[in-house]
Amino acid sequence: IAGITQAPTSQILAAGRRMTLRCTQDMRHNAMYWYRQDLGLGLRLIHYSNTAGTTGKGEVPDGYSVSRANTDDFPLTLASAVPSQTSVYFCASSDGSGNEQFFGPGTRLTVL
Amino acid sequence: SQQGEEDPQALSIQEGENATMNCSYKTSINNLQWYRQNSGRGLVHLILIRSNEREKHSGRLRVTLDTSKKSSSLLITASRAADTASYFCATDAWDNYGQNFVFGPGTRLSVLP
């Protein structure tokens, strides 16, 4: 793989179910980010990690959790999905220090 | 609340014209970045300007930063139909967990042939 990948591409999920969105990068970037994008609201940061083993809360962290066990992977988990979590989710990475972010192709999630 | 806010929300111009988009933010920053997003795709980085810089160029792109007004502008010269996309500014902020970024809602640019 080259760059940053996300899986699945899209998912329809029943409310109350647990879901993990996967994100993997092969650029050895220290920092990784999860955003959700909703029409008219741009991208909102959910959680981020500046290095393996550390995570931080973004603007809209409620209902989501993340882990950063290694440099390459940064999964996002919805413990009990709700319809308001219907969105397009983007994962991104950067080599830190405020440099440019590289974005994955996104996961379109629908919670019914 | 969001750090960056772009205006206009939407802009429609003819091919060959220049397009100017503005971004305002609320707190002190280390740098400001502009990104582009084609419909349904991930964002692509265009240019980064640091807080101690006032202007930066990259091809047909020109970015200015006025930290006293907490604002930035992105100018695309001699626009092309392929420039049709949404453009976002992103500002950084530091908290107890480290550095993170906040994106504005974006400007939708349509370049008509």
Side-chain angles (χ1 to χ4, degrees):
Chain A
I1 55 174
I4 185 164
T5 60
Q6 294 183 236
T9 301
S10 65
Q11 182 75 44
I12 299 173
L13 190 66
R17 298 297 294 269
R18 180 184 180 90
M19 176 74 191
T20 296
L21 307 184
R22 300 184 298 278
C23 176
T24 299
Q25 53 106 356
D26 67 354
M27 297 173 282
R28 307 303 293 173
H29 284 168
N30 283 324
M32 297 187 75
Y33 312 84
W34 273 107
Y35 298 90
R36 59 177 290 172
Q37 185 175 32
D38 302 288
L39 191 63
L41 293 178
L43 275 78
R44 292 182 292 169
L45 182 66
I46 304 171
H47 285 286
Y48 63 94
S49 168
N50 285 308
T51 189
T54 68
T55 62
K57 295 180 181 179
E59 183 182 356
V60 288
D62 294 343
Y64 305 95
S65 64
V66 291
S67 61
R68 187 86 185 278
N70 58 61
T71 298
D72 298 343
D73 302 299
F74 192 42
L76 176 74
T77 298
L78 290 67
S80 179
V82 295
S84 63
Q85 291 177 311
T86 293
S87 188
V88 180
Y89 291 85
F90 288 99
C91 180
S93 71
S94 75
D95 64 3
S97 301
N99 290 336
E100 71 173 284
Q101 295 186 31
F102 293 81
F103 281 80
T107 292
R108 184 174 297 276
L109 181 67
T110 302
V111 183
L112 302 176
Chain B
S1 63
Q2 289 184 324
Q3 172 81 308
E5 297 283 341
E6 294 95 341
D7 82 271
Q9 291 185 340
L11 179 62
S12 185
I13 60 174
Q14 294 294 131
E15 205 165 24
E17 294 180 340
N18 296 341
T20 299
M21 289 159 271
N22 302 298
C23 171
S24 60
Y25 57 92
K26 297 177 181 177
T27 64
S28 296
I29 61 171
N30 292 320
N31 65 61
L32 185 145
Q33 302 182 40
W34 283 92
Y35 287 80
R36 164 199 169 118
Q37 183 182 35
N38 288 82
S39 181
R41 310 286 292 274
L43 278 72
V44 175
H45 181 264
L46 294 176
I47 198 164
L48 179 154
I49 186 164
R50 302 201 182 276
S51 60
N52 61 353
E53 297 176 311
R54 292 296 168 260
E55 187 171 313
K56 207 161 183 180
H57 297 256
S58 176
R60 292 185 296 112
L61 305 180
R62 173 177 169 255
V63 169
T64 62
L65 178 64
D66 187 334
T67 53
S68 67
K69 296 181 179 178
K70 292 185 170 59
S71 68
S72 173
S73 67
L74 170 67
L75 168 68
I76 303 174
T77 61
S79 64
R80 305 166 182 168
D83 293 329
T84 295
S86 291
Y87 293 82
F88 298 88
C89 70
T91 54
D92 68 330
W94 286 89
D95 61 21
N96 291 336
Y97 299 97
Q99 187 176 34
N100 64 81
F101 294 90
V102 179
F103 284 78
T107 293
R108 291 192 315 278
L109 174 66
S110 298
V111 181
L112 306 175

